[in-house]
Each structure stands twice: as C-alpha cells, then as structure tokens.
Amino acid sequence: MTGPRRDDDHQPQELWTWSADDLNGRTVRGVTNIPGRARRALLAALNTMPNKGEGTIRQAWLDVFAYPYPCYRYGPVLMHAYRDKTTGVIVLQDGPPSIDVAP
C-alpha cells in the first residue's frame, strides 16, 4: 500500500534544450537531462553548418499538465554560440546573444 503523494513527487525534471540554426532554413534541436551533453550536441551541430551558424542552450521543464498536450516551459538562454566571422572558430558566450549597436 502506498501513502499519499507529496508535492515534491510532482516536481518537473530539469532539462536542457539546444538549438542550432544555419540561418538558411536548416535547424537542429534536441533535449537532454545532462547539461554537458547539450553543449556537446550544440557544438557538433554547429560544426556541420556553414560559417553563419549559431545556437543556444536553455533550461526547460516538461509540463505534463499543460492542455491540450504536454509542452516544455523554457527558462532563459544559458549559453549562446556562433562562428566568428573572421576566423571561423565557434565562440561560446554565457547568457543570451549580445546585440551589436552601431555608434
């Protein structure tokens, strides 16, 4: 016989989503429960994309009580990655992408 459920039994699992876009219509996305795996998958996806590729990693939670279908609830962008226009090297930044503002 089981006892009554506690509120913490229903806490959603912490997940990490990653998304990479080549800015020409090709997008690769994924979800994992391991933050390091999200980072590796994002870098692997960007390595297959041309020089304009960029991507992000966000924290997410699966909301199984959403109506009419379960969905993800997203947190802020934790990491942004892009290719340097000069060197072609993938650059990682904490947080959302910075906005270039002309003087």
Side-chain angles (χ1 to χ4, degrees):
M1 179 173 198
T2 61
R5 290 186 169 242
R6 300 179 326 198
D7 285 339
D8 59 349
D9 290 342
H10 298 288
Q11 292 298 320
Q13 181 182 9
E14 204 170 43
L15 301 169
W16 286 264
T17 65
W18 56 272
S19 177
D21 188 346
D22 73 358
L23 306 178
N24 289 319
R26 179 176 172 234
T27 301
V28 182
R29 295 186 178 120
V31 178
T32 181
N33 62 340
I34 302 170
R37 186 176 291 164
R39 181 180 170 149
R40 288 188 301 274
L42 174 60
L43 292 173
L46 288 174
N47 277 325
T48 67
M49 295 182 173
N51 291 341
K52 293 184 181 180
E54 65 179 25
T56 57
I57 295 176
R58 298 175 73 164
Q59 206 167 13
W61 298 266
L62 180 61
D63 184 350
V64 296
F65 299 109
Y67 180 82
Y69 306 106
C71 68
Y72 289 108
R73 303 291 181 196
Y74 295 96
V77 172
L78 301 175
M79 180 180 287
H80 176 73
Y82 65 93
R83 278 195 193 270
D84 182 273
K85 294 175 185 173
T86 306
T87 65
V89 173
I90 296 174
V91 178
L92 301 174
Q93 292 179 329
D94 289 336
S98 59
I99 300 173
D100 294 327
V101 179

